[in-house]
Amino acid sequence: LWDTYRTQQQLLGLIARPQARDVMLSMVHDTEELGWVPRWVLANVETNVMSGDPGTPMFADALATGLLTPADVAPIYPILHANATQPAPSGNAAVGRVGVDFYRQHGYVAYDTSVYMQRSAASATLEWALADCGMAHIAKAVGEAADAADFAQFAHSYRNEFDPSTGFFRPRYADGSWMTPFDPAHETAPWQDGKGYDEGSAWQYLWLTAQDAPDLAHLIGGTDKTIARLDQFFSYDTVAAAPSTARGAWSGEIG
């Protein structure tokens, strides 16, 4: 789901709605059977790899687009809520949000190289914040107004990882200090060097705040500065002058 929740499921919802609804109903059943929210299932086994909480935004998106109804989701709402607010039970097949107790208390995932899931703490914080935005909408849809307000606050948890001195979301330790050294262009993964992100860099994850793009622009320094950062990210001047360079520029083969 980590690979598909931001892209493929939305496409299916547009061009193949019956199949997309079937996928989401299977997700409902998977959640019931696991007793927790799946993240990266392979051959009916929860592998517990990758980061974030991708299943939750998928449920929220399915509700928003009519693929699921509140009646479809209501039976699993207690599981969705538990998954977002507390550690999975010991021995559970799905481990859920590792480090969620700290996150609920401090508003970010603590960077810890000794814990697989927390090696990508910065991207996990961004993805959990996005998932919490989804939880706010799910809670509202099933009539849980107090929960909706709570999750709406955590939807902005990404603010706690924004480092004004660098202009990027930056991993931070449990004591609140920033991870050092920090290179926003360095692409990383938890099974490699574990520099705070899951299959990406701070440059790429800078834009994972779809729940409040105006707030991201505010953090960066305003709309004009944000547009300039986007142009820099996409190597706009280089690609506009020579479109054939796009593949190299966007794959990191050139600066």
Side-chain angles (χ1 to χ4, degrees), residues 148-162:
D150 173 61
F151 285 117
Q153 293 294 317
F154 278 92
H156 289 98
S157 295
Y158 58 81
R159 293 171 180 166
N160 298 317
E161 292 245 312
F162 189 79

Side-chain angles (χ1 to χ4, degrees), residues 126 168-169 201-211 213 216-217 220 225-234:
L126 292 167
F168 290 95
F169 296 109
S201 69
W203 259 111
Q204 293 161 333
Y205 273 97
L206 178 62
W207 314 107
L208 191 63
T209 53
Q211 66 270 41
L216 174 63
I220 291 174
K225 288 186 177 180
T226 304
I227 291 173
R229 292 285 289 278
L230 277 166
D231 285 347
Q232 184 181 359
F233 178 64
F234 286 109

Side-chain angles (χ1 to χ4, degrees), residues 54-76:
T56 297
M58 288 179 68
F59 285 121
D61 186 75
L63 278 170
T65 57
L67 292 175
L68 293 177
T69 68
D72 292 323
V73 175
I76 63 168

Side-chain angles (χ1 to χ4, degrees), residues 4-255:
T4 62
Y5 83 96
R6 289 161 285 195
T7 51
Q8 180 175 301
Q9 187 60 21
Q10 287 73 26
L11 177 62
L12 289 177
L14 290 171
I15 65 174
R17 287 185 65 80
Q19 290 83 356
R21 172 169 166 77
D22 190 50
V23 168
M24 292 312 304
L25 288 175
S26 293
M27 282 277 293
V28 170
H29 298 317
D30 285 349
T31 300
E32 291 174 328
E33 292 182 12
L34 272 173
W36 222 246
V37 180
R39 180 168 61 240
W40 212 92
V41 175
L42 175 66
N44 292 330
V45 174
E46 175 54 69
T47 64
N48 291 310
V49 300
M50 313 313 292
S51 61
D53 179 15
T56 297
M58 288 179 68
F59 285 121
D61 186 75
L63 278 170
T65 57
L67 292 175
L68 293 177
T69 68
D72 292 323
V73 175
I76 63 168
Y77 179 76
I79 301 175
L80 294 172
H81 185 276
N83 172 81
T85 59
Q86 62 193 56
S90 178
N92 199 70
V95 300
R97 297 189 184 192
V98 176
V100 70
D101 283 345
F102 185 93
Y103 170 82
R104 292 286 296 180
Q105 183 176 356
H106 299 280
Y108 68 95
V109 181
Y111 177 61
D112 185 347
T113 57
S114 69
V115 180
Y116 172 81
M117 291 294 176
Q118 292 176 231
R119 294 178 190 169
S120 52
S123 54
T125 298
L126 292 167
E127 296 198 71
W128 288 6
L130 186 64
D132 283 340
C133 177
M135 276 301 302
H137 289 281
I138 294 169
K140 182 178 180 180
V142 299
E144 298 289 347
D147 287 350
D150 173 61
F151 285 117
Q153 293 294 317
F154 278 92
H156 289 98
S157 295
Y158 58 81
R159 293 171 180 166
N160 298 317
E161 292 245 312
F162 189 79
D163 174 18
S165 70
T166 62
F168 290 95
F169 296 109
R170 182 175 178 179
R172 61 194 313 179
Y173 298 103
D175 64 4
S177 62
W178 300 112
M179 184 195 79
T180 302
F182 173 66
D183 176 7
H186 178 70
E187 294 190 16
T188 182
W191 57 87
Q192 295 172 336
D193 53 6
K195 294 290 186 180
Y197 288 92
D198 201 339
E199 290 198 15
S201 69
W203 259 111
Q204 293 161 333
Y205 273 97
L206 178 62
W207 314 107
L208 191 63
T209 53
Q211 66 270 41
D212 198 341
D215 189 50
L216 174 63
H218 172 73
L219 291 175
I220 291 174
T223 301
D224 290 343
K225 288 186 177 180
T226 304
I227 291 173
R229 292 285 289 278
L230 277 166
D231 285 347
Q232 184 181 359
F233 178 64
F234 286 109
S235 303
Y236 178 79
D237 291 340
T238 299
V239 173
S244 63
T245 65
R247 180 175 180 179
W250 293 344
S251 67
E253 293 175 11
I254 64 174

